[in-house]
Amino acid sequence: MKITIHNRKPQKNFPFVFELEGTPSTVKVSQVSEALANKFPKYSVERQRLTTEDKRVLAGDQTLEEAGLKDNEVIYFKDLGPQIGWRTVFLIEYAGPLFIHSLFYYLPSIFYSGKVTHSPMQTAVYGMVMLHFLKRELETVFVHRFSCGTMPFTNVFKNSAHYWLLSGVNFAYWVYGPWYDLTKVASKRSDMWLYGCIAIWAWAEVSNFITHVTLRQLRPPGTRVRAIPFGYGFDLVSCPNYFFETVGWTSLCFLTISWSVFLFNIVATGQMYVWAIKKHKNYRKEFSDYPRNRKSMFPFIA
């Protein structure tokens, strides 16, 4: 069978006609991608987006027939540019705060005029932040299964800015400074306040981990299978992992009473809520039996 490949942007090598063995009912979109990559090594499978004329994206595991394509059809190709693995991006994102918080905590004389004798609140916050991002790194390596293998390389800078700047420099500079050191009234916290915030944070972190494990178990290795999640947290919302993440950072907001932590939490929660709404709508669209009583991210609210 024959398939004609057009580039969305006019180029000298396109259109190009491929002859593939098989029929529309047996040839998969992934085979077209591989043929294109073999013909033009610059365009690896990861940096291709194949669509129909009406810009409907073609999934690699579909046959051409399932995608509504016949013999001698036209497929449109878009070059997504140099790619980088999602897992690699996550590791880079989370490494930033681990490094930045350690710099501000252990080398305060570089950033402040004089020595800082850390208060119990500052020490607790440092430990909580480090454990959070260490957990994220370990989950990236051992728990998460990604539906997409790569993203455009330039995205690593945009994605990392949120973690390196907002939860890194912004958070660390204002929380570990001398205005919160052992001698300042602003750092004083009762034991109930301190350990209460730590307890809520610990519950949120463990809960977040449980939901990530639930999501992992839904997708067999090497697949993009999607299914309806059930269990702890999922009976109330579609994205309990985001909800528990918000609870964890909110406990840090009230432990520090720092505008910088509130700023980071507001931005992070807003972004997670946008993602949650999108995922919630996709669940309801894809699964006709999806539970109608679930909210997107906040139980009983939204």
Side-chain angles (χ1 to χ4, degrees):
M1 66 170 296
K2 294 182 179 180
I3 289 292
T4 301
I5 305 293
H6 279 260
N7 196 322
R8 290 286 179 185
K9 295 181 179 180
Q11 287 187 342
K12 64 179 181 179
N13 294 323
F14 297 90
F16 187 86
V17 178
F18 282 115
E19 291 194 13
L20 302 169
E21 293 185 5
T23 65
S25 63
T26 60
V27 175
K28 290 190 173 184
V29 173
S30 59
Q31 292 175 256
V32 178
S33 293
E34 290 166 3
L36 181 59
N38 289 334
K39 179 65 180 178
F40 305 106
K42 174 184 176 181
Y43 303 128
S44 62
V45 172
E46 290 75 20
R47 65 186 288 172
Q48 298 176 26
R49 175 179 291 162
L50 301 182
T51 63
T52 57
E53 187 174 3
D54 60 359
K55 297 186 178 181
R56 178 168 49 85
V57 178
L58 302 176
D61 57 354
Q62 285 183 310
T63 65
L64 298 183
E65 185 177 72
E66 290 171 341
L69 299 172
K70 302 176 182 178
D71 196 3
N72 291 312
E73 288 269 16
V74 174
I75 292 178
Y76 287 82
F77 156 72
K78 179 180 180 180
D79 177 20
L80 299 176
Q83 300 289 295
I84 184 172
W86 274 85
R87 196 179 307 277
T88 302
V89 172
F90 276 30
L91 291 173
I92 293 172
E93 289 174 357
Y94 305 146
L98 289 169
F99 174 70
I100 292 167
H101 279 258
S102 295
L103 274 182
F104 278 91
Y105 187 82
Y106 287 109
L107 301 173
S109 59
I110 296 177
F111 309 101
Y112 313 108
S113 56
K115 184 180 178 181
V116 176
T117 303
H118 292 117
S119 63
M121 181 273 285
Q122 290 175 312
T123 300
V125 170
Y126 175 70
M128 293 158 76
V129 170
M130 295 300 285
L131 286 173
H132 170 79
F133 285 107
L134 180 59
K135 165 184 167 290
R136 295 284 281 269
E137 292 278 32
L138 293 173
E139 286 178 335
T140 298
V141 175
F142 299 109
V143 178
H144 292 324
R145 287 176 178 160
F146 300 94
S147 58
C148 297
T150 64
M151 69 169 71
F153 178 77
T154 53
N155 282 12
V156 70
F157 303 103
K158 178 181 68 176
N159 290 18
S160 296
H162 172 75
Y163 291 99
W164 286 57
L165 299 179
L166 268 183
S167 67
V169 175
N170 163 69
F171 188 134
Y173 177 82
W174 292 106
V175 171
Y176 305 132
W179 37 85
Y180 282 131
D181 74 10
L182 187 62
T183 65
K184 301 298 190 296
V185 174
S187 73
K188 305 303 179 183
R189 302 289 184 270
S190 68
D191 286 348
M192 181 177 292
W193 189 346
L194 178 64
Y195 293 112
C197 287
I198 293 174
I200 293 171
W201 171 86
W203 168 75
E205 291 290 316
V206 171
S207 297
N208 177 264
F209 173 74
I210 291 171
T211 60
H212 284 162
V213 172
T214 298
L215 292 172
R216 170 188 170 84
Q217 293 171 342
L218 292 177
R219 177 172 291 155
T223 72
R224 295 185 178 182
V225 171
R226 285 171 53 83
I228 301 175
F230 290 96
Y232 184 67
F234 289 99
D235 294 332
L236 297 176
V237 295
S238 294
C239 299
N241 49 325
Y242 296 156
F243 170 70
F244 292 128
E245 178 96 357
T246 296
V247 172
W249 286 117
T250 301
S251 70
L252 278 162
C253 287
F254 286 100
L255 177 56
T256 61
I257 314 297
S258 170
W259 67 267
S260 64
V261 185
F262 276 96
L263 173 63
F264 166 68
N265 193 28
I266 290 169
V267 173
T269 300
Q271 180 61 75
M272 287 188 287
Y273 183 56
V274 170
W275 291 336
I277 290 175
K278 182 177 180 180
K279 291 184 178 183
H280 183 68
K281 289 181 177 179
N282 288 340
Y283 276 134
R284 297 186 69 170
K285 181 179 179 180
E286 184 174 356
F287 302 105
S288 59
D289 58 342
Y290 192 74
R292 296 293 167 177
N293 61 326
R294 289 187 190 179
K295 299 298 183 180
S296 299
M297 177 174 162
F298 298 102
F300 312 113
I301 301 174

